[in-house]
Amino acid sequence: MTLDTTAINQGMTHFDGQEAIWLFGYGSLIWKAGFPYLERRPAYIHGWVRRFWQGSHDHRGTPEAPGRVATLIRQAGAICHGMAYRITPETLGPLDVREKNGYLRLVTDLHFYDDRDGTGDEEQAEGLVYIATEDNAAFLGDASYHHIAQQIAHAHGPSGPNRDYLLNLAIALRELDVEDPHVFELERLLPPQGR
Ligand code: SIN
């Protein structure tokens, strides 16, 4: 598969004609929106776990020394918590460019868990999520926690140090009251800066 997924994503017509689309973020899209949105709500999706298995050649690393960023891996029965944004269709253009290093848009059901109307009813909506699957050219896959933490500690790209991505994500998940053992273990193993 090509390294740049922009054109594939822009060929997707699923939400054509809709005034607004829900986008589910689970990585940098949780803590660094950087795009306009109409509404933002904590949400979760079923059947996926967050993993630092995607290589980053363009944001948190380089083609020669890729960083590691989050993608989602299918796991039956799992729940992945994140942040949902209601955006207008024009916002997808720049997002496709931001996520071009292997991420493809996928249609998914989003569940909202903040009980704003006080009824306790769960709300649900169809939305989009960007996922880097294992057939993309930048995919790195599993490795030991030690190896992944070391790679993150040393990688640096145009968007800044890879460690900031991990640390900001860990902070954002705590703020959401989300327990993510994969992310928190990597945070724990991250060597201090300069080592
Ligand atoms: C996401 O945050 O939803 C996608 C992965 C990323 O941009 O970090």
Side-chain angles (χ1 to χ4, degrees):
M1 186 194 282
T2 165
L3 200 57
D4 185 336
T5 51
T6 313
I8 302 172
N9 283 328
Q10 296 194 347
M12 183 181 181
T13 55
H14 189 85
F15 290 104
D16 278 6
Q18 298 204 8
E19 280 172 19
I21 301 162
W22 279 106
L23 168 73
F24 178 77
Y26 58 87
S28 72
L29 295 182
I30 298 184
W31 55 270
K32 187 184 177 187
F35 52 82
Y37 54 85
L38 306 166
E39 193 181 346
R40 177 183 195 261
R41 294 180 71 180
Y44 62 87
I45 59 176
H46 283 285
W48 299 94
V49 286
R50 185 174 8 242
R51 293 289 179 263
F52 273 78
W53 289 7
Q54 173 65 5
S56 178
H57 298 188
D58 62 344
H59 282 296
R60 300 286 166 175
T62 62
E64 298 73 37
R68 274 187 178 258
V69 289
T71 186
L72 297 182
I73 303 296
R74 277 195 197 279
Q75 189 174 295
I79 285 180
C80 179
H81 291 272
M83 187 61 78
Y85 301 88
R86 206 158 62 81
I87 58 172
T88 58
E90 304 80 66
T91 303
L92 285 176
L95 273 169
D96 288 338
V97 174
R98 169 169 166 176
E99 302 295 328
K100 70 181 188 327
N101 194 193
Y103 291 85
L104 291 173
R105 297 185 199 170
L106 188 91
V107 176
T108 185
D109 284 334
L110 272 61
H111 303 263
F112 301 103
Y113 63 95
D114 58 335
D115 185 22
R116 291 191 300 188
D117 60 4
T119 59
D121 294 340
E122 190 191 85
E123 286 178 56
Q124 200 174 312
E126 195 179 56
L128 271 182
V129 58
Y130 285 89
I131 293 183
T133 53
E134 55 193 59
D135 55 357
N136 86 85
F139 191 77
L140 292 172
D142 198 6
S144 70
Y145 275 108
H146 177 75
H147 177 96
I148 296 178
Q150 285 290 332
Q151 189 171 352
I152 291 173
H154 295 110
H156 198 291
S159 298
N162 200 176
R163 63 186 303 121
D164 289 359
Y165 180 109
L166 170 62
L167 295 176
N168 286 327
L169 181 57
I171 291 169
L173 291 175
R174 278 197 194 91
E175 280 171 7
L176 286 172
D177 250 338
V178 170
E179 182 55 41
D180 189 320
H182 177 81
V183 174
F184 295 156
E185 181 62 1
L186 288 174
E187 179 193 37
R188 193 181 69 79
L189 291 174
L190 197 63
Q193 217 146 7
R195 281 223 256 139

